[in-house]
Amino acid sequence: MLRVVCVAGARPNYMKIKPVMDALERRGAEVVLVHTGQHYDPAMNDVFFQDLGIRPPDRFLGVGSGTHAEQTGRVMTAFEPLLDEVSPDVVVVVGDINSTLACALVTAKAGPLLAHVEAGLRSRDWSMPEEVNRVATDRVSDYLLAPSPDAVENLRVEGYRDDQVHLVGNVMIDTLLANLERARQSDVLDRYGLSRGEYGLVTLHRPANVDDPEVLTALLKALGEIADRCPLLLPVHPRAAGRLADIGVPGGIRLVPPAGYLDFIALQDSARLVLTDSGGVQEETTALGVPCVTLRDNTERPITVEQGTNVLAGRDPVRIVSTVTRVLDSPPPPRRPELWDGHASDRIADVLLEGGTADSRPRPTDQTSFV
């Protein structure tokens, strides 16, 4: 029986790890769920476990917050003895948070095979901590499980072997499609007095957008202009709450508490448009066919622009307002990329179960060239 450690640490991980765990367990693998505790706020953690039906973690590391170095170091220190005790055949890490990189580095040195879900995504913006995390994690991984053809091409250009790279599709869409009807039964629109197609949904959490008061003030000015035409709902991320309170929010923008998974999917599904700096939201809106305007200068998910409903607006207020005006007047047609079909986790499980052991499989260090 294959023993697999699946690692989750923060809100974006939960939607990605759940279908992978389910697919592995359906095939008879023994799955050990490790929660690093990078997110520990109940609004960002407990409600997602409840909404998604994720069983309690087998191990909770409780690392909490801190600088990037502090957080990464604490995860590594806690994960290393656990890995030695559990002795898995494979460790699965997802996404690009600090926990992802920390557990990847420990695994690479300890010896089990390492699988990275969402491998190959690239923003090419080295000011983003997530870009460092995802590139470094790919470099030490045995299995590179890519969500889209552009991610596969990135990995091939960077010199990875063909037997490492697998186009599997998007696991977040597995979770979305599995829960969409439940989400549509939510009463969240009634709770907030909203009507389908008559509001915009906003998310802001990236440091580049919320940590600099000047940047955040400019974004809020743009959102205020947009709200004159389309009222906006903004579930407040803990990272942004204090700064929004300090600066003040223009009229037409309604602040509400963070939403659970089902409520947030329901809000996206019924929105006229979504404005976001989240990579996952770019993917979910594409799957739902909802227009999305991304408040960033780049995206590691270009497929959502090329084959989805996402438009990249940058952070200049004038450009944001003009982009949103164009999208409201002429929404992009709904398009869903190939393999975003609800079965990515099944393909991942097949790869892992057919992949052999650490003793029989070539390792990342066997690469002869790397660009």
Side-chain angles (χ1 to χ4, degrees):
M1 178 190 298
L2 193 74
R3 178 177 293 175
V4 183
V5 165
C6 289
V7 177
R11 169 177 169 165
N13 288 176
Y14 309 146
M15 294 84 82
K16 300 168 189 175
I17 206 65
K18 174 63 161 65
V20 176
M21 291 171 54
D22 290 346
L24 286 166
E25 290 179 334
R26 283 196 301 268
R27 288 159 172 78
E30 177 188 355
V31 175
V32 178
L33 175 59
V34 175
H35 187 339
T36 68
Q38 183 171 327
H39 271 175
Y40 49 88
D41 186 308
M44 303 296 291
N45 181 60
D46 296 355
V47 67
F48 281 82
F49 273 66
Q50 295 162 9
D51 281 355
L52 296 174
I54 304 176
R55 58 178 168 81
D58 298 294
R59 302 295 180 91
F60 181 74
L61 304 185
V63 300
S65 60
T67 67
H68 289 286
E70 290 169 340
Q71 198 171 61
T72 303
R74 281 201 293 267
V75 174
M76 293 179 71
T77 302
F79 190 63
E80 185 177 49
L82 183 154
L83 203 61
D84 184 58
E85 176 191 342
V86 174
S87 191
D89 299 295
V90 183
V91 173
V92 177
V93 297
V94 296
D96 51 25
I97 64 172
N98 289 338
S99 295
T100 304
L101 175 60
C103 293
L105 291 172
V106 171
T107 302
K109 294 183 178 184
L113 294 172
L114 175 64
H116 184 201
V117 175
E118 284 197 335
L121 297 180
R122 299 289 184 266
S123 69
R124 295 178 176 82
D125 179 357
W126 288 97
S127 70
M128 294 176 63
E130 295 90 347
E131 182 76 352
V132 177
N133 290 345
R134 63 176 73 102
V135 171
T137 299
D138 283 347
R139 184 63 184 91
V140 296
S141 293
D142 300 280
Y143 298 104
L144 298 163
L145 304 165
S148 51
D150 59 285
V152 170
E153 182 59 24
N154 288 337
L155 293 167
R156 287 181 174 154
V157 167
E158 291 173 10
Y160 291 97
R161 300 189 316 267
D162 287 345
D163 69 290
Q164 289 178 276
V165 180
H166 303 270
L167 176 60
V168 294
N170 192 324
V171 289
M172 280 194 66
I173 307 308
D174 289 16
T175 297
L176 173 66
L177 296 179
N179 291 279
L180 184 55
E181 290 310 313
R182 289 176 61 219
R184 285 172 172 166
Q185 293 169 18
S186 167
D187 67 349
V188 67
L189 267 66
D190 292 336
R191 259 183 280 145
Y192 291 140
L194 301 171
S195 298
R196 184 178 183 87
E198 295 185 5
Y199 65 93
L201 180 66
V202 182
T203 78
L204 289 172
H205 78 281
R206 290 199 177 274
N209 283 344
V210 302
D211 286 359
D212 184 330
E214 191 173 320
V215 172
L216 184 56
T217 299
L219 288 174
L220 289 171
K221 178 178 182 295
L223 294 175
E225 291 186 42
I226 294 162
D228 289 339
R229 177 172 177 183
C230 177
L232 300 177
L233 187 78
L234 200 169
V236 181
H237 191 284
R239 165 177 275 281
R243 295 175 178 87
L244 290 171
D246 290 342
I247 294 171
V249 176
I253 303 174
R254 181 179 178 186
L255 302 184
V256 297
Y261 180 74
L262 296 176
D263 284 354
F264 189 68
I265 292 299
L267 289 169
Q268 288 186 81
D269 184 51
S270 292
R272 184 177 178 186
L273 85 161
V274 176
L275 299 104
T276 189
D277 57 9
S278 162
V281 171
Q282 295 171 50
E283 295 174 321
E284 289 168 342
T285 48
T286 280
L288 292 168
V290 174
C292 178
V293 175
T294 295
L295 308 177
R296 287 170 48 188
D297 297 315
N298 52 62
T299 177
E300 65 283 352
R301 293 162 170 88
I303 194 169
T304 63
V305 177
E306 297 158 4
Q307 298 183 29
T309 58
N310 185 26
V311 180
L312 206 58
R315 295 186 295 164
D316 175 71
V318 174
R319 183 180 170 193
I320 290 170
V321 173
S322 66
T323 300
V324 169
T325 299
R326 187 173 71 252
V327 168
L328 289 173
D329 290 341
S330 182
R335 295 175 296 181
R336 186 183 296 173
E338 187 179 2
L339 297 187
W340 290 26
D341 56 3
H343 298 287
S345 53
D346 293 315
R347 289 185 281 268
I348 288 170
D350 289 342
V351 168
L352 299 184
L353 289 166
E354 294 169 5
T357 67
D359 292 333
S360 64
R361 182 177 173 80
R363 307 311 301 271
T365 52
D366 297 327
Q367 292 165 170
T368 57
S369 66
F370 193 86
V371 178

